[in-house]
Amino acid sequence: MAGPEIERLIQLLARLPGLGPRSARRAALHLLKKKDALLLPLAATLREVGDSVHACSTCGNLDSRDPCAICTDSRRDESLLCVVESVADLWALERAGVFRGRYHVLGGTLSALDGVGPTDLNVDGLVARVNGGRVKEVIIATNATVEGQTTAHYITDRVAPSGVQITRLAHGVPVGGELDYLDDGTLGAALKARRPL
Amino acid sequence: MAGPEIERLIQLLARLPGLGPRSARRAALHLLKKKDALLLPLAATLREVGDSVHACSTCGNLDSRDPCAICTDSRRDESLLCVVESVADLWALERAGVFRGRYHVLGGTLSALDGVGPTDLNVDGLVARVNGGRVKEVIIATNATVEGQTTAHYITDRVAPSGVQITRLAHGVPVGGELDYLDDGTLGAALKARRPL
C-alpha cells in the first residue's frame, strides 16, 4: 500500500464533506501528480487561511480582518441587520448580491435533539447590537426548517423589547419552480401571502 | 463574498477530482470550522507529502523512499514483475493483497488521440529491468480498454526479445457478477477462456 504520509493525507482528505475513502485516494494521487501547480499552493493557502482567518467579533463572519470586510464597509446600510444561521447562508446571500446591509451569524439553530440551547448561539451579541441604537430593521433569514423557524421565533421574542422592526424572508413559489412539483406547505404559504398584481 | 484567502482556498479545492465549486465551498467552511482538527493537520501533511514523496526511480511508485518500500522489500518475489498503467492501479492490486512480486508503473497508456507515444511511457526502464536478468515473468496488468490493450501488445513486442515469460490478467466474469448484466465482449472472453472443473 502507499506510504504512511500518503495514507495520512488520504485519511484527512476523506474527512472533507463530499469526499469518501475512494475519492480521497483519487484526490491524493491528483495532488501528487500536480505537485507544483496544486499540492504546494494548497498547503500554503491552507496554512495562510488557518493563520489569518477568524470569526468576526461583531457579526461572526469568517475573514482575515476583525471586524470583517462587511462590518467595516461604509457603503453598506448599518440600519439593516440580516440574521443568518451560518457563514454558508451569509455567502449564499452575498452571491445573490441582493442585500446591502450588515449580517449577524448565529452559528447554528436551536435544537433540543442535538442539545443546542440559546446560550450556544450568538443571540446575546445580536440583542446587544440591536440595543446599540443604529439598527432599524432585523431581517430574520434562518432556514425554513423546523429548527430554523423555532430559532426565528426565539429571536423575535428576544429582539422585540428593543422596539425595532422585525421581518423574515418571504415563503412562496421558488422562481422558475412549477406548482405541480411543490409541496403542500409551500403552496399554502404562497397562497396565503398572495400579492395584488 | 468571502475574503481573498478563502476564495483562493475554494478555487484550489474545486480543482480536486470529485469536488465542484459548490462542494469546494462546503469543504472550505468545514475546514475553517475544524481548524485544529483538520485544516492545520491537512496543511502540514500536504507540505510533508510534497517535500518527501517522489516517484521511485526503479518502478515509478510514489513513496518517500527511493527505491520505494516495495522495491526494497526482500520478502517480495523479484522474479515476478507486474506492469501497471498508473500508481492507482498499483494501489488497487496492493489493496487486494493478491500479488507478492514487484511492480513497474508505465505512467499512462499509448494514445494517438492524446499524443502519448512510447517515449512518454517508462518502457525503456521496463526493458532494462527485464534484461537485468532477475525477472522470470512479466505480468501485464494494463486496463482492459482499447488503449490498455494496445499498450499491452506494444510492451509484449518490446519485452519478447529478452525471452522471459509474458502473461496478462485473465478476462472473464467478475466475481459476484451476473451473466445477464455482462457485455458481449466479456461473455465471449469468458467462454473462450473456459477452464475444466
Side-chain angles (χ1 to χ4, degrees), chain B residues 2-87:
Chain B
E5 306 90 354
I6 303 181
E7 279 301 321
R8 182 158 164 70
L9 175 61
I10 293 172
Q11 275 168 19
L12 288 169
L13 286 172
R15 287 170 55 194
L16 292 178
L19 286 183
R22 189 173 281 264
S23 45
R25 267 199 301 272
R26 273 210 308 149
L29 270 177
H30 188 80
L31 282 163
L32 281 163
K33 244 185 245 168
K34 312 212 164 182
K35 197 181 277 187
D36 291 321
L38 189 53
L39 189 145
L40 296 178
L42 182 58
T45 306
L46 278 169
R47 180 154 296 279
E48 198 188 329
V49 164
D51 289 344
S52 70
V53 174
H54 297 277
C56 169
S57 57
T58 306
C59 74
N61 184 22
L62 292 166
D63 200 4
S64 51
R65 285 186 281 170
D66 187 12
C68 73
I70 292 178
C71 283
T72 52
D73 186 345
S74 60
R75 290 166 303 174
R76 300 188 79 114
D77 186 352
E78 62 179 347
S79 70
L80 281 176
L81 195 59
C82 182
V83 180
V84 291
E85 289 178 16
S86 65
V87 176

Side-chain angles (χ1 to χ4, degrees), chain A residues 62-122:
Chain A
L62 292 166
D63 200 3
S64 51
R65 284 186 282 170
D66 187 12
C68 73
I70 293 178
C71 284
T72 52
D73 186 345
S74 59
R75 291 165 303 174
R76 301 188 77 114
D77 185 352
E78 63 179 347
S79 70
L80 282 176
L81 195 57
C82 182
V83 180
V84 290
E85 289 178 16
S86 65
V87 176
D89 298 337
L90 186 158
W91 288 0
L93 280 162
E94 282 299 288
R95 274 202 303 284
V98 289
F99 181 66
R100 296 303 298 168
R102 301 269 166 87
Y103 291 95
H104 191 85
V105 180
L106 292 173
T109 48
L110 296 177
S111 168
L113 272 177
D114 299 329
V116 181
T119 52
D120 300 312
L121 305 180
N122 187 12

Side-chain angles (χ1 to χ4, degrees), chain B:
Chain B
M1 201 51 135
E5 306 90 354
I6 303 181
E7 279 301 321
R8 182 158 164 70
L9 175 61
I10 293 172
Q11 275 168 19
L12 288 169
L13 286 172
R15 287 170 55 194
L16 292 178
L19 286 183
R22 189 173 281 264
S23 45
R25 267 199 301 272
R26 273 210 308 149
L29 270 177
H30 188 80
L31 282 163
L32 281 163
K33 244 185 245 168
K34 312 212 164 182
K35 197 181 277 187
D36 291 321
L38 189 53
L39 189 145
L40 296 178
L42 182 58
T45 306
L46 278 169
R47 180 154 296 279
E48 198 188 329
V49 164
D51 289 344
S52 70
V53 174
H54 297 277
C56 169
S57 57
T58 306
C59 74
N61 184 22
L62 292 166
D63 200 4
S64 51
R65 285 186 281 170
D66 187 12
C68 73
I70 292 178
C71 283
T72 52
D73 186 345
S74 60
R75 290 166 303 174
R76 300 188 79 114
D77 186 352
E78 62 179 347
S79 70
L80 281 176
L81 195 59
C82 182
V83 180
V84 291
E85 289 178 16
S86 65
V87 176
D89 298 336
L90 186 158
W91 288 0
L93 279 161
E94 284 298 288
R95 274 202 304 284
V98 288
F99 180 64
R100 297 300 299 165
R102 302 269 165 87
Y103 291 95
H104 192 85
V105 180
L106 292 173
T109 49
L110 296 178
S111 168
L113 272 178
D114 299 329
V116 181
T119 52
D120 299 313
L121 305 180
N122 187 11
V123 181
D124 290 338
L126 171 65
V127 174
R129 284 180 84 181
V130 171
N131 287 336
R134 287 183 179 162
V135 178
K136 290 186 184 140
E137 180 178 351
V138 171
I139 303 167
I140 299 181
T142 52
N143 288 327
T145 56
V146 173
E147 290 85 4
Q149 297 303 299
T150 310
T151 310
H153 282 123
Y154 175 74
I155 291 169
T156 309
D157 289 345
R158 289 288 303 272
V159 172
S162 70
V164 301
Q165 190 180 7
I166 304 174
T167 55
R168 67 155 175 77
L169 296 188
H171 293 318
V173 184
V175 174
E178 297 180 44
L179 297 197
D180 196 18
Y181 292 97
L182 274 181
D183 62 293
D184 301 347
T186 306
L187 272 179
L191 190 68
K192 214 164 142 189
R194 66 191 178 277
R195 315 239 330 235
L197 263 180

